[in-house]
Amino acid sequence: MALVTTKEMFEKSMKEGFAIGAFNVNNMELIQAIVDAAAEQNSPVILQASSSAIKYAKINYLMKMVEAAVEEHPNIPIAMHLDHGPDFETCKMCVDAGFTSVMFDGSKYDFEENIRLTKEVVDYAHAHGVVVEAELGKLAGIEDDVNVAASDAIYTDPAQAEEFVRRTGVDSLAIAIGTSHGAYKFKGEAKLRFDILKEIKIRIPNTPIVLHGASTVIPELVEMCNKYGGNIPGAKGVPDEMLHEASVSGVSKINVDTDLRLAMTAGIRKVFVEDPSAFDPRKYLKPARELIQQTVAHKMKDVFGSANKA
Ligand code: PH4
Ligand code: ZN
């Protein structure tokens, strides 16, 4: 099987009420851990790279490794997606390089400009058999180089969502209901606006909904980082129960990056502290890769409900 678009996996997710994890990648160990977890769980999976990840790893290396992952796991639907494409050129570069899905993130523009720019990307991508995710509303926190103060976070307006999808022809829509990027999502209790999600779903029942900034910030991983010399105090994410509720309430794609960063860092830190003489990278990258795989498998099986949906 070749790389697939997200079309069929999203159709299945909407029909059967589960979500597909979209996991950020920028190196070989992440890619291997994620697709091995998907194979172990017989789950569809989306690999995604941001423009800064592409700058770091280089698009050619990323695509060759993703192609290798597909060859290793021919029975698992794997999509390759651009996360937070900042402009038409970056989206075009990824379409031309063989990505099967791209996100154009026009959330920093006003409504009309977001529609105009998204439509340009949709026209190009669709002409090349590639699907497009767009974003409406603003997430609090830091994403790429855009910093939106928490107080300026703007929830997605359901009526605008309907108009946006109709006028752009976009394939999926990222919405803002209270999540944010990174390890510090909530000061007090975690709170998501499921009422807004419900309203959006009523207005665009056939459009897959995407949740960004949806890491759990798994307490065990934060503790492990801190235990082995890290300093990540007060980190807090979206609890598993809320992500499960989102998965059965019409969210089709759930983005996870922070939890993978924590797993990799925790695994490496542990080896460094327990065996200061270790300096063969395989000695610390192997356990780190295993911890990432466990983390991804847990999400697929226990939270998103995508296990056995390949
Ligand atoms: N993302 C990840 C964005 C990563 O430039 P960069 O590579 O740092 O960008 O789109 C998410 O939605 C991840 O959410 P999370 O932080 O809750 O895991
Ligand atoms: Zn994001």
Side-chain angles (χ1 to χ4, degrees):
M1 200 197 257
L3 272 175
V4 297
T5 74
T6 50
K7 207 170 172 45
E8 275 172 29
M9 52 175 98
F10 283 166
E11 268 162 22
K12 193 167 178 176
S13 90
M14 288 190 291
K15 214 163 103 205
E16 299 182 21
F18 66 92
I20 295 142
F23 301 97
N24 284 75
V25 299
N26 55 53
N27 65 45
M28 183 187 77
E29 282 74 15
L30 281 163
I31 293 171
Q32 290 177 333
I34 295 161
V35 296
D36 285 357
E40 173 199 312
Q41 295 300 325
N42 192 31
S43 167
V45 69
I46 300 165
L47 300 173
Q48 60 183 13
S50 66
S51 52
S52 59
I54 292 171
K55 266 184 212 130
Y56 171 80
K58 300 230 164 60
I59 198 161
N60 227 347
Y61 285 90
L62 280 176
M63 279 315 284
K64 299 286 181 206
M65 287 192 287
V66 169
E67 280 162 20
V70 171
E71 277 175 31
E72 289 288 322
H73 300 293
N75 299 322
I76 298 298
I78 303 175
M80 182 60 183
H81 173 76
L82 166 66
D83 189 23
H84 293 287
D87 48 38
F88 177 85
E89 286 68 34
T90 309
C91 294
K92 180 180 183 301
M93 173 181 78
C94 290
V95 169
D96 296 348
F99 282 47
T100 52
S101 173
V102 294
M103 175 190 191
F104 171 70
D105 180 359
S107 61
K108 65 173 183 279
Y109 299 104
D110 68 35
F111 186 61
E112 287 300 325
E113 189 66 353
N114 191 357
I115 288 181
R116 190 181 70 78
L117 294 168
T118 300
K119 179 99 181 46
E120 271 179 21
V121 173
V122 167
D123 288 345
Y124 186 80
H126 283 184
H128 293 79
V130 170
V131 292
V132 179
E133 172 185 326
E135 181 166 326
L136 193 61
K138 288 192 176 70
L139 268 65
I142 297 166
E143 68 191 31
D144 282 301
D145 299 328
V146 189
N147 192 343
V148 186
S151 56
D152 289 337
I154 299 174
Y155 298 121
T156 306
D157 177 274
Q160 277 198 342
E162 185 177 352
E163 185 182 344
F164 186 90
V165 167
R166 180 170 40 81
R167 287 175 59 192
T168 57
V170 81
D171 301 278
S172 61
L173 187 68
I175 60 166
I177 56 165
T179 61
S180 63
H181 291 107
Y184 303 93
K185 301 189 192 297
F186 303 100
K187 281 222 175 78
E189 283 297 294
K191 190 172 180 322
L192 293 190
R193 293 290 303 273
F194 283 104
D195 56 323
I196 298 180
L197 169 61
K198 213 168 157 189
E199 265 195 70
I200 293 173
K201 217 47 215 175
I202 289 169
R203 287 182 179 263
I204 45 170
N206 301 319
T207 303
I209 300 298
V210 180
L211 213 52
H212 281 247
S215 274
T216 303
V217 190
I218 299 171
E220 290 81 7
L221 294 177
V222 175
E223 270 162 39
M224 197 171 156
C225 285
N226 288 338
K227 179 177 171 193
Y228 294 108
N231 182 21
I232 318 173
K236 194 182 250 177
V238 187
D240 278 352
E241 305 73 53
M242 283 192 185
L243 293 172
H244 180 72
E245 189 178 340
S247 307
V248 297
S249 310
V251 169
S252 287
K253 172 174 179 270
I254 296 187
N255 283 8
V256 178
D257 186 357
T258 298
D259 281 337
L260 309 183
R261 297 181 185 195
L262 288 169
M264 184 149 201
T265 304
I268 292 172
R269 278 194 177 282
K270 184 168 189 282
V271 176
F272 280 172
V273 168
E274 287 182 346
D275 184 3
S277 70
F279 64 92
D280 177 344
R282 291 169 294 188
K283 276 255 157 42
Y284 49 86
L285 291 177
K286 188 164 183 272
R289 184 172 61 187
E290 282 164 6
L291 201 49
I292 299 165
Q293 184 174 335
Q294 283 169 25
T295 303
V296 172
H298 160 68
K299 287 179 185 291
M300 291 169 164
K301 182 159 70 76
D302 306 321
V303 188
F304 302 163
S306 67
N308 295 317
K309 302 285 189 186

